[in-house]
């Protein structure tokens, strides 16, 4: 009795009990489709995160920020602990060969403006020219904040495409216009020199769209200008980013910059020093988090597969009992135990494989529906499909074996007598 | 002629080693020559079924020697016994026992499937067998679409599938009315006469037994009568 005959037999028996077969498969379908859906959505998330990561410089990105020393005597920051322009400039000169762009943000202030009879909220960010690399934005009209703006503490700003459309009709028309707003009780008039839009895809753009206007009310101005508005002479920073040139070892570069800054400016600080994080380590942290999330969800999916498998076993036991007489007849006609066993195992494997196949299709479908909603298509990796197929087959064999073995070991005389 | 069935001192006990030990067959000696149509009769509880199970290789004797077509049955393990049932014995049951939701054709093919006969040959042989029992026009019918007599004819065709040494029929007409029962008996006679099949018929119907060559009567696990009926068999 070969495999083909067994498969035909199993299909015939499933056809005879369609409703039952479908209900039994349901457990497997739900389990497998959730596994595949999770794998698909995991890919979507990973792609989006990778997109952002790469747009910000990928593994060429190094971040520096102040942090508590191990033997800190305070647990708070003072103004004198912050990173100064002087430090960044000095780093920029000393490591000029390795550095592509430095990006800094001197913080932000909220502001408001009147437009027709509406009060609009703004968020004013003080940035340097390099900051555009970190902000996931792109200038679509005019220009970004320049070095000259920084030096002159220029009254210029870069606004979003949505603001430009709303306030001035279009990005082009916004250029050269004056943006008047109120910040910390004082009125300011800034000249619009550029318009940006978010260059995002996938998950992030979905999130931006969901948050609506809130993400588009950011106005970028020189950080020196922001400092002036805040009444500070010298800007200072909690952190800054450096995009290094290709081919520069990020880890080595970051540690020498850290040592340089710490030796020169933080040696005598009792509590604070500068600490770095490379894009690589940030990425591995993120993928670790995503790994944990997908592991947890996979365990849940695994439990549902286990429940599905128990369902298969249950139905196979019922099937064996129902067909006791048939098993007796088959044995009387000369079926060896092995043939009976493989007949039932194959039946259970086929239930699981059909369930698995439907589950895979359904999972891809659901995953992509989710993908359409958040704006990216993704397919699960071939590995996860192979895994799903293998796993559903394994469930079939594992949960089918016990009932099949019970069938195989039936005494033919007893079985023939079974009513 | 060589004996197809040779039984010597067959004893069958149940619950061996327990206080309830029960001896059903008390040392039977039976020899059936090839080509004989023999009936085994007896009241219920006489040990008929137990004997049939041993003859049909569904069960093993506790003591004694049983040789079927030259094979010493006491020396066979379970898997060898299924092979013997498959190739040497053709079962016909009182309740037909066709596999449900499986066409007449597929039912007839089943023993050949387990014997590893190739699909083409199976189909060819099954067609011949269905023709023999005059059921060619029902080959694609499912068992629930067939009458009792038709089912039993299919079952006989199935029993013949691997050209067994013996046909073992357990009350084959028990579930049929007398007219269809007659038809089934005629097929056995035809198999016996035309193909020289050895047939063992288990029955409690004395009239049917009278049609066979020889009647072995069983009572309380002993053979109480062994009578040759037909002149044909007597001549041997």
């Amino acid at each position: 009795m070969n495999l083909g005959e067994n498969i035909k037999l199993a299909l015939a028996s499933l056809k005879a009990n369609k409703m039952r077969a479908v209900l039994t498969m349901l457990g497997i379908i739900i389990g497998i489709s959730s596994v595949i859906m999770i794998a698909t959505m995991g890919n979507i998330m990973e792609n989006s995160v990778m997109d952002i990561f790469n747009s910000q410089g990928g593994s060429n990105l190094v971040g520096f920020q102040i942090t508590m020393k191990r033997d800190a005597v305070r647990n708070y920051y003072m103004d004198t602990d912050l990173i100064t322009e002087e430090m960044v400039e000095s780093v920029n000169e000393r490591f000029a060969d390795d550095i592509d762009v430095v990006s800094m943000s001197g913080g932000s202030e909220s502001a408001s403006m009147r437009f027709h009879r509406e009060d609009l909220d703004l968020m004013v960010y003080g940035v340097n020219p390099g900051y555009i690399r970190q902000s996931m934005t792109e200038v679509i009209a005019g220009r970004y904040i320049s070095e000259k703006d920084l030096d002159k503490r220029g009254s210029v700003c870069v606004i979003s495409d949505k603001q430009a459309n709303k306030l001035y009709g279009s990005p082009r028309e916004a250029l050269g216009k004056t943006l008047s707003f109120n910040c910390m009780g004082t009125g300011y008039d800034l000249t619009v020199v550029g318009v940006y839009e978010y260059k995002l895809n996938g998950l992030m753009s979905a999130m931006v769209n969901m948050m609506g206007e809130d993400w588009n009310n950011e106005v970028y101005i020189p950080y020196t200008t922001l400092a002036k508005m805040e009444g500070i002479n010298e800007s200072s920073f909690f952190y800054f980013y450096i995009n290094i040139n290709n081919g520069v070892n990020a880890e080595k570069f970051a540690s020498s910059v850290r040592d340089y800054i710490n030796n020169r400016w933080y040696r005598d600080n009792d509590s604070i020093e500068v600490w770095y994080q490379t894009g690589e380590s940030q990425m591995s942290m993120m993928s670790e988090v995503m790994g944990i999330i997908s592991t947890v969800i996979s365990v849940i999916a695994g439990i549902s597969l286990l429940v599905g498998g128990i369902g298969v076993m249950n139905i196979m036991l019922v099937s064996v009992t129902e067909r006791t007489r048939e098993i007796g007849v088959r044995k009387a006609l000369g079926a060896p135990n092995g043939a009976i066993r493989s007949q039932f195992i194959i039946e259970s494997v086929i239930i699981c494989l059909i369930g698995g196949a439907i589950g895979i299709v359904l999972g891809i479908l659901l995953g992509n529906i989710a993908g359409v909603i958040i704006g990216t298509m993704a397919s699960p990796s071939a590995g996860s499909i192979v895994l799903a197929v293998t796993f559903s087959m394994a469930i079939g064999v594992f949960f089918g074996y016990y009932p099949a073995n019970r069938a195989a070991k039936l005494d033919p005389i007893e079985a023939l007598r079974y009513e | 002629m060589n004996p197809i069935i040779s039984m010597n001192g067959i004893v069958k006990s149940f619950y061996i080693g327990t206080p309830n030990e029960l001896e059903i067959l008390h040392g039977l000696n039976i020899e059936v020559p090839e080509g004989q149509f023999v009936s085994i009769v007896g009241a219920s509880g006489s040990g008929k079924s137990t004997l049939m199970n041993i003859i049909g290789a569904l069960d093993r004797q506790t003591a004694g020697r049983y040789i079927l077509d030259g094979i010493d049955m006491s020396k066979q393990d379970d898997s060898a016994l299924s092979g013997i049932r498959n190739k040497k014995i053709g079962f016909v049951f009182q309740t037909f026992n066709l596999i449900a939701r499986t066409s007449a054709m597929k039912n007839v093919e089943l023993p050949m499937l387990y014997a590893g006969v190739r699909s083409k040959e199976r189909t060819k042989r099954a067609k011949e067998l269905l023709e023999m029992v005059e059921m060619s026009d029902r080959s694609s019918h499912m068992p629930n679409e067939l009458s009792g007599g038709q089912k039993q004819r299919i079952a006989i065709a199935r029993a013949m599938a691997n050209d067994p040494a013996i046909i073992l029929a357990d009350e084959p007409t028990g579930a049929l009315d007398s007219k269809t029962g007659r038809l089934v008996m005629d097929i056995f006679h035809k198999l016996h006469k035309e193909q020289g099949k050895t047939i063992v018929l288990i029955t409690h119907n004395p009239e049917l037994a009278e049609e066979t060559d020889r009647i072995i009567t069983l009572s309380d696990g002993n053979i109480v009568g062994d009578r040759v009926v037909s002149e044909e068999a007597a001549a041997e």
Side-chain angles (χ1 to χ4, degrees), chain A residues 309-310 312-314 316-318 320-321 340-341 344-345 348 394-410:
Chain A
I310 292 169
V312 171
M313 180 147 136
N314 189 22
M316 290 310 294
L317 282 172
V318 171
V320 167
T321 308
I340 302 286
R341 193 182 298 123
F344 282 94
I345 287 181
S348 115
I395 288 171
V397 173
F398 185 79
F399 289 101
Y401 185 84
Y402 174 72
N405 204 38
R406 205 148 112 165
K409 285 191 172 152
L410 282 176

Side-chain angles (χ1 to χ4, degrees), chain A residues 15-43:
Chain A
K15 233 200 255 165
N17 271 310
K18 281 191 207 90
M19 185 68 178
R20 197 161 83 184
V22 168
L23 286 176
T24 311
M25 278 174 200
L26 212 54
I28 304 295
I29 292 172
I30 291 170
I32 293 286
S33 64
S34 46
V35 169
I36 294 290
M37 194 175 80
I38 290 158
T40 309
M41 290 182 65
N43 275 6

